[in-house]
Amino acid sequence: MAVPEVKQSATEARLATLTMPDAGCTRAAREDALARVLETGLPGRRDEYWKYTRPDTLITSDAMPAAVLKDDEPPIFDKLDRLKIVFVDGVFSPNDSDDLSLEGVSIDRLEDICCKDIHWAKELYGVLEARGQVPVQRPLAALNTAFASDGVAIHVTGKPSKPINLIYRHASPTSDAILHHVVRVESGAEATILETGPAASRFNKCMEIDVADNGTLHHVRAQGRDHERRAATHMFTRLGQESVYKSFTLTVNGVLTRNEQIVELTGDDAVAHVAGACVGDGDFHHDDTVFVTHDAVNCESRQVFKKVLRNGATGVFQGKILVKAGAQKTDGYQISQSLLLDDDSQFLAKPELEIYADDVACSHGSTSGAIDETALFYLRSRGVPTKDATNMLTLAFLAEAVDEIEDGSLAEAIVNRLEGWLARRS
Amino acid sequence: MLEIKNLHVKLEEEDKQILKGVDLTVEAGKVHAIMGPNGSGKSTLSYVLSGRDGYEVTEGSVDLNGEDLLEMEPEERAAAGMFLAFQYPVEIPGVGNMTFLRTAVNAQRKARGEEEMSAADFLKEIRAKAKSLKIDADMLKRPVNVGFSGGEKKRNEILQMAMLEPKLCILDETDSGLDVDAMKLVAEGVNALRDQGRGFLVITHYQRLLDHIKPDVVHIMADGKIVKTGGPELALEVENNGYSDILAEVN
């Protein structure tokens, strides 16, 4: 089908501003990805998958300017021992980063891979993204694969002693960054990847994660607070037998965020948990779009998303569980809830189940509500002032999502951020 | 301590008068019981005293130690020494019982200009008080009232009362839903708090609770008013003959 003219001209205008880097062994994947973009065009307002989130500002030729927040909080995981990999406005910064050697993992820059002819990452770069284009097209991810200018390839072969923290700093108010990471977790290996920071005025990030049999990957992300920043991110994850993937995202501010998680359970007994907590104010727009495919026996998936919205903020959740024929004994769970702190804010949810196996347990639920007045009164009757009581109940509402983080110190850092947000607003 | 004068209260949403002139004084060191048939306004009285929304005071006054209670927010009433043990304690998922209590204790102290209680002191005190109410460590850690049995919820109310050390304690049908053993435990908890400086207002349907918490004064409430006041023997009279004789006598 031909791309509508409006879409085509928008796509061409965007492509005109981009140059494909000297790509080495990723060249073929990039060219394929570009062909996908040309075939479908970039997302438009009439696309069903973008019904609740306007993609316009994500595809304009230039990024809308976004002021750099003068940060008043110490970096979120500052107190934790971690390997830091720093990008400033989407460019790797060797001076700010740690030495990339760590036992149990090897880390290469995308730039270094691109000048090689042979590298393990070639087998992964653009591969999961391409798989993730069916049944729903994700042109921003294809655009990313084609034009990513930086990123890392993380090969986990053991159990590294500390988390790997990808830190995205935002320095220029007009920066436009495209990063692409690939992660391969070998059989029996286990690692934690942290992502923090606003990255750029506009950020397009793609991460492809391949977890082999018995491998485990924990992912905890805290997106930056810069109020005017925009981000479209994709995480494509493929899970082997008895492997585990647990991902949590905290979003505090940002005028536009679209986080897509595309998970494929391809080995029996695999486990995937994706969770998110977001708190937003005013013109904040936050979209969690999740697509979990069960394609093996006895797998478990959980989606837990909680949003606190106030002063006209908008939250979106599009979550799907697809259970393919033969994926018996699937245990799929999905919950999306919003706490609306006033009448102006809104939550738009589209939970979907599509099941082709007959011996599965899948459930989904979605709710929107205000603060529980009875609970509020109970707290106040014990002497807790209204403001503090409201904050306690707000944190309690988010707790189910935060509880998905296994590591106590990471969860604590997330809670501290949420408390900071609440304190600034009360 | 608590002085209620000619209190008239209607529902905010509809034109329904619930309290029609309640006069009641609770002195420090005394236990007053209010009994009465269903719909007489007992629970409404407790809600109005604690500051719950949905009620409108159309006439009368309530003073707590000389201060106008009706002008205060619920949290200010708590800091001024008011405590209501709820008939239906509220479940709050996601808020740990211990965190909740510590926040409450320190919020009240702060409101009164007192120093906050240290984590260590708080822990020591709550452990001792929980033990006497047979509340185990697990119940302290769990979210407030979530998954608690009826008896556990009521014991948890008494634990809060013990930790917050209020001046005026209102017990709203604390005996409802309790078996005999649980009632004894709750009564012991209440009795341990009885002292010269503290007043109690115990609202109940049955005389049974008053076997364990001996009242100094018993009031009978009917149709939004206190219609008869007497000593503990009044409760026994209700137990033996029901309310009808008393109400007939009053009318």
Side-chain angles (χ1 to χ4, degrees):
Chain A
M1 204 176 74
V3 177
E5 206 178 311
V6 180
K7 216 175 185 183
Q8 188 156 0
S9 57
T11 304
E12 280 167 9
R14 174 63 178 136
L15 291 176
T17 61
L18 296 164
T19 333
M20 199 179 286
D22 186 14
C25 68
T26 65
R27 171 158 291 278
R30 286 172 185 269
E31 280 170 358
D32 287 351
L34 177 58
R36 286 195 288 277
V37 176
L38 291 170
E39 194 188 318
T40 61
L42 290 172
R45 288 179 63 184
R46 286 164 189 261
D47 293 359
E48 182 64 23
Y49 216 46
W50 289 85
K51 190 174 177 179
Y52 305 117
T53 298
R54 291 185 62 158
D56 318 28
T57 54
L58 295 172
I59 64 163
T60 46
S61 303
D62 297 308
M64 306 270 282
V68 176
L69 179 79
K70 215 174 145 206
D71 214 342
D72 46 358
E73 287 179 312
I76 178 160
F77 299 124
D78 223 17
K79 288 183 187 157
L80 304 172
D81 186 21
R82 68 230 144 101
L83 182 107
K84 297 196 283 286
I85 304 176
V86 180
F87 296 86
V88 181
D89 289 324
V91 180
F92 176 71
S93 169
N95 294 336
D96 296 311
S97 302
D98 291 335
D99 175 20
L100 298 187
S101 54
L102 178 66
E103 200 179 325
V105 61
S106 71
I107 303 168
D108 293 313
R109 277 187 69 191
L110 197 58
E111 195 180 85
D112 298 329
I113 299 162
C114 290
C115 51
K116 285 179 187 163
D117 287 334
I118 299 170
H119 191 278
W120 66 267
K122 186 188 169 190
E123 307 301 321
L124 194 53
Y125 190 92
V127 172
L128 299 186
E129 176 262 300
R131 286 174 70 95
Q133 299 290 343
V134 182
V136 190
Q137 289 157 352
R138 307 173 199 280
L140 283 173
L143 183 83
N144 180 301
T145 300
F147 295 102
S149 53
D150 217 330
V152 285
I154 300 173
H155 191 198
V156 186
T157 49
K159 295 188 175 171
S161 58
K162 53 187 173 186
I164 297 149
N165 190 178
L166 301 165
I167 298 170
Y168 307 125
R169 290 193 190 139
H170 179 203
S172 153
T174 56
S175 54
D176 191 10
I178 305 181
L179 291 184
H180 194 116
H181 310 298
V182 288
V183 180
R184 163 104 184 144
V185 181
E186 290 299 344
S187 183
E190 177 170 358
T192 299
I193 293 180
L194 310 175
E195 291 187 282
T196 53
S201 300
R202 181 168 68 184
F203 187 36
N204 179 334
K205 192 219 69 182
C206 192
M207 188 183 278
E208 296 176 281
I209 302 165
D210 196 17
V211 187
D213 298 351
N214 300 105
T216 298
L217 186 76
H218 296 276
H219 170 249
V220 178
R221 163 167 65 168
Q223 292 176 306
R225 271 176 52 207
D226 296 29
H227 182 68
E228 292 157 330
R229 63 139 190 89
R230 290 175 161 77
T233 75
H234 291 83
M235 312 268 305
F236 295 93
T237 308
R238 179 170 60 187
L239 294 167
Q241 202 174 317
E242 288 180 48
S243 66
V244 177
Y245 169 61
K246 292 191 178 174
S247 171
F248 172 88
T249 299
L250 169 73
T251 311
V252 180
N253 296 42
V255 73
L256 177 60
T257 309
R258 162 98 161 196
N259 290 328
E260 296 195 25
Q261 289 263 8
I262 302 92
V263 182
E264 252 190 300
L265 298 124
T266 60
D268 296 348
D269 305 302
V271 174
H273 293 185
V274 286
C278 85
V279 287
D281 210 326
D283 52 2
F284 173 93
H285 182 107
H286 188 278
D287 177 336
D288 278 302
T289 291
V290 183
F291 200 113
V292 175
T293 306
H294 282 261
D295 196 11
V297 175
N298 203 31
C299 292
E300 174 196 315
S301 72
R302 275 172 74 82
Q303 302 174 32
V304 181
F305 289 86
K306 299 263 188 167
K307 296 174 197 282
V308 175
L309 305 164
R310 50 180 274 171
N311 292 328
T314 302
V316 175
F317 174 76
Q318 304 189 102
K320 177 153 183 170
I321 305 174
L322 168 65
V323 181
K324 290 198 172 175
Q328 303 294 11
K329 307 282 179 199
T330 286
D331 179 4
Y333 173 77
Q334 180 195 89
I335 182 111
S336 63
Q337 294 181 312
S338 75
L339 177 62
L340 304 175
L341 296 178
D342 52 49
D343 293 340
D344 301 328
S345 303
Q346 60 172 346
F347 177 54
L348 305 160
K350 190 176 151 198
E352 285 180 282
L353 298 179
E354 192 176 332
I355 302 171
Y356 298 98
D358 57 7
D359 184 16
V360 302
C362 280
S363 64
H364 68 79
S366 185
T367 63
S368 276
I371 285 274
D372 178 350
E373 289 295 332
T374 318
L376 186 66
F377 175 70
Y378 190 69
L379 293 174
R380 290 177 70 197
S381 78
R382 297 305 182 239
V384 183
T386 311
K387 182 188 83 182
D388 298 344
T390 306
N391 288 354
M392 275 178 101
L393 294 173
T394 305
L395 274 179
F397 166 78
L398 294 165
E400 190 188 350
V402 179
D403 285 347
E404 292 291 317
I405 304 171
E406 272 185 23
D407 183 297
S409 51
L410 294 176
E412 197 184 313
I414 295 289
V415 170
N416 286 342
R417 280 295 137 132
L418 289 167
E419 284 172 343
W421 185 87
L422 291 167
R424 282 192 297 276
R425 270 155 188 84
S426 28
Chain B
M1 164 157 303
L2 178 73
E3 224 176 330
I4 304 173
K5 283 186 185 155
N6 193 29
L7 187 66
H8 286 69
V9 172
K10 72 182 254 309
L11 289 180
E12 217 164 48
E13 299 280 309
E14 48 186 300
D15 205 21
K16 190 179 175 190
Q17 201 75 30
I18 312 267
L19 299 184
K20 301 171 181 172
V22 175
D23 286 288
L24 178 67
T25 302
V26 179
E27 309 84 2
K30 299 286 185 202
V31 174
H32 285 239
I34 298 186
M35 302 180 76
N38 289 328
S40 58
K42 304 186 301 292
S43 284
T44 297
L45 178 63
S46 74
Y47 292 152
V48 170
L49 292 178
S50 64
R52 193 178 188 131
D53 281 346
Y55 301 96
E56 190 185 326
V57 175
T58 52
E59 213 184 321
S61 66
V62 181
D63 283 4
L64 179 65
N65 291 322
E67 284 184 89
D68 184 353
L69 192 75
L70 300 176
E71 281 300 305
M72 296 184 209
E73 294 294 330
E75 54 268 37
E76 293 169 335
R77 297 178 193 206
M82 250 257 336
F83 182 92
L84 168 67
F86 281 55
Q87 183 180 359
Y88 303 107
V90 181
E91 296 188 5
I92 312 183
V95 175
N97 210 7
M98 194 105 97
T99 313
F100 156 60
L101 253 175
R102 195 163 161 235
T103 307
V105 166
N106 283 333
Q108 289 200 14
R109 286 179 169 230
K110 200 174 152 194
R112 292 194 291 259
E114 297 165 11
E115 210 170 296
E116 291 194 2
M117 201 178 206
S118 76
D121 288 348
F122 175 82
L123 210 60
K124 209 169 132 188
E125 200 173 320
I126 198 167
R127 276 193 186 139
K129 287 179 173 167
K131 198 177 166 193
S132 64
L133 285 160
K134 298 206 167 111
I135 290 174
D136 59 25
D138 183 52
M139 257 175 79
L140 291 177
K141 277 188 215 143
R142 267 153 54 189
V144 180
N145 293 325
V146 177
F148 287 23
S149 70
E152 286 173 336
K153 282 181 181 168
K154 296 296 171 80
R155 275 186 276 149
N156 201 30
E157 293 290 289
I158 305 304
L159 174 67
Q160 292 171 32
M161 194 162 92
M163 288 303 293
L164 293 167
E165 300 180 328
K167 292 178 188 139
L168 176 75
C169 309
I170 304 171
L171 279 70
D172 187 8
E173 299 197 19
T174 296
D175 49 341
S176 68
L178 292 187
D179 60 34
V180 182
D181 293 337
M183 193 183 327
K184 267 188 194 162
L185 209 56
V186 163
E188 278 167 21
V190 172
N191 289 331
L193 287 169
R194 289 178 77 157
D195 73 22
Q196 290 307 309
R198 193 167 282 141
F200 285 85
L201 190 58
V202 180
I203 295 170
T204 182
H205 269 298
Y206 305 105
Q207 191 264 341
R208 212 169 46 158
L209 179 68
L210 304 179
D211 281 343
H212 302 289
I213 305 173
K214 297 257 185 296
D216 297 296
V217 186
V218 174
H219 308 274
I220 306 295
M221 196 163 176
D223 194 25
K225 276 187 197 167
I226 285 171
V227 292
K228 192 169 184 182
T229 297
E233 72 286 348
L234 194 52
L236 284 171
E237 197 185 321
V238 169
E239 184 73 6
N240 294 332
N241 307 324
Y243 291 110
S244 48
D245 285 7
I246 295 171
L247 297 185
E249 174 195 325
V250 173
N251 289 332

